[in-house]
Amino acid sequence: MAKGMTHRGSTFRSSEQTPQIFLQKQQGWGRSSALKTRQQLKWAVYICAILFCLQALLESVDAKPVLASSLGFCKKVPVLKGAPLHCCLPSPKRKPIRFRSPRIPRTLTGRLILRERKPAHVLQRDPKYVRKYNLAYARMKALPDTDPRSFLNQWRVHCSFCNEAFKQRKTPGPLGPETGVPLQVHYSWTFLPWHRMYLYYHERILASLINDPTFALPFWNWDNQLDQDAAMIPAMFLSNFSVPNAALFDEFRNSNHFPPKILHLGYNSKLEAEGKQNLTNQQIRYENLCVMYNQVVTKISARDFLGGPYVVGTDNSAATVNASAGEVPGESGGMENAHNVAHEWTGLINDPNHPDNEDMGNFIYAARDPIFYSHHSNVDRLWDVWKTIPDKVTKSGSRKRMDYTSRDFLDSEFTFYDENQDMVIVKVRDSLDSSKLGYKFTDVSKSDKMWINYEPLPPHQSPKKSNSSDYPAAAPSGYNYIGTDPVSFRLDRRAPTKEIARQRGVKNVDQLQENVVLEKVKIPHSEYARFDVFINYPAANRQTHLYMSEYVGTFTHLPSGMVDMSKSVSESSSKSEKFRIVTIRYCVNAALRRLGITDYNTDIIVTIVSKGARNSSPKTGFTFTNLKQDFQ
Ligand code: C2O
């Protein structure tokens, strides 16, 4: 972009100068030279026009990627209990460098030798690996605070980039001028790429600390419902393990969820606190498959899976969204929303002494727990898996899953510290192919297939068929409320047009995914929220199983102490409360098919089941501006 701008500048300058030079020189010239010059002028005009068009084209595709570094402004991050946290990072000792693809060793026949990230539940049976893994963290934890590779500083990377300690920048490079807008890498398309590069450097640092370039992080294979222990907190992170593992241990985890409990993606801390979440292991596994199916498989477009755009100026922690100024609300993708549940389930939730749900249950603290990196290793893996899943969702059955291709996405820029303590400037485009980063994941496709090919139970047979006209439509751009009781709305549907298909970059309307979109849900930073959505099942409630045909997906918001807690709870609705404005997208093609709805004339009933705000009175709820149909 900077290049393009200088280009236009110089073009204008030459076109301004040309006529004057031309006039001055023309006086003494003969006829033929005047003609020649006229021709030259014509050419100059053509070239100018072409350059101008090129520039305009470039600008139309190249808006404003988010640019960020950990230098310059950095504010402390407030928490609910205790003093605000200092998450800022040390300055680099040398000039920041640009990312360069690592040299990857090859076999004699030229095949790449990739480091292999293996499932944690398998690796923990290998004492040699656990010793190495523990040693790497022990050494990382022993590094001084001034060293950007230290465990404390590794935690800070997450705490700062994920909790708005920094500001976005106006121009590329780590020292470009700052905009006034805080930086947040969750709730958008930056979620997967940023965390991938964060883990990449984290892994490189661990590897260098034990002088083992082949070292790779494990992945906590919590989506795996095939192996008994895969979805449990891996024992190697817990005390009383057979091999010394002190450096992998963290005291702030929910002991109610220790093995043999398995991670429940339908988990709701509120229901659990009320003693109403009593599912059998088999039911939990079905719900897990169903959540994975709805959060990964049905998400066919980049927007559905990776999340919404995040460009300079986007402030998803603002209390209002000024759409006319180009601001967009936060929009987490399906993967991010599923991943949030694992955070919630692992951290200290429902513990009055720990209102911040440390460690995993709050993004501010999450990276203090070594299990965080193993959890994200699985999230990273699922991004790779997603790209390989056959369509099975759209009418065409032929759509490829692809990352965004826009330059706003590809040129988004962040900084990390590498194993040599150098600050590296990384672009999203550097992150898209894990093999180019030198690693791969153990193939666990047998268990992946369980959720990829998941079939929910048949639709409920409601005694009296619900009539969509019995329900109100949401007030467009107005005030809509989700309380602790489920709410149902009628959603008027229409067929997608060719124009929409064109805008979305697909060949025809049959390649589109139909979305139900909850627009601009307003959630206080300090609140927990979970919304599960059902189609044509208004009887759905907080205890309805998620492995039913009518269920179409979930959204979870983790509370984070981004509010000044010197204010009491009753005051928290005052101006000092910070909100997150998020748009939530549910994918409904597959569900509609299961429910026998094959046309676009049939309106549907959308039931939003809020799993309740923490510490809430019955009246506590959330507002949103609209419920609408969209296509991706
Ligand atoms: Cu930045 Cu799992 O979080």
Side-chain angles (χ1 to χ4, degrees), residues 145 241 264 423 436 457 587 608 610:
D145 290 0
F241 192 65
H264 179 200
M423 177 180 265
K436 287 197 178 138
L457 294 189
C587 295
I608 307 161
S610 167

Side-chain angles (χ1 to χ4, degrees), residues 237-382:
F237 292 104
L238 300 168
S239 49
N240 298 322
F241 192 65
S242 51
V243 179
N245 67 339
L248 306 176
F249 178 75
D250 183 66
E251 70 179 294
F252 301 115
R253 294 178 187 140
N254 191 338
S255 57
N256 294 325
H257 295 162
F258 284 178
K261 291 270 173 63
I262 53 173
L263 169 62
H264 179 200
L265 294 173
Y267 175 67
N268 174 238
S269 48
K270 181 104 176 148
L271 269 182
E272 186 184 57
E274 293 167 15
K276 291 184 189 152
Q277 192 151 61
N278 303 311
L279 280 77
T280 64
N281 258 10
Q282 179 153 42
Q283 285 173 319
I284 291 177
R285 291 201 189 274
Y286 281 153
E287 289 208 349
N288 288 352
L289 293 176
C290 187
V291 171
M292 286 304 291
Y293 173 77
N294 279 294
Q295 299 301 117
V296 179
V297 182
T298 70
K299 309 285 184 187
I300 190 124
S301 75
R303 183 159 193 163
D304 287 314
F305 183 74
L306 284 100
Y310 185 55
V311 292
V312 162
T314 304
D315 182 359
N316 55 32
S317 62
T320 53
V321 174
N322 183 355
S324 56
E327 289 177 16
V328 287
E331 186 182 313
S332 314
M335 190 63 253
E336 186 179 342
N337 281 329
H339 127 283
N340 286 350
V341 186
H343 275 279
E344 178 196 0
W345 186 81
T346 311
L348 281 175
I349 218 145
N350 289 334
D351 182 339
N353 294 320
H354 294 274
D356 284 301
N357 311 327
E358 341 54 295
D359 279 327
M360 279 286 276
N362 184 332
F363 295 136
I364 297 173
Y365 289 107
R368 287 200 313 199
D369 187 339
I371 207 172
F372 170 95
Y373 306 90
S374 182
H375 166 43
H376 269 275
S377 181
N378 196 39
V379 174
D380 199 46
R381 181 185 75 85
L382 290 167

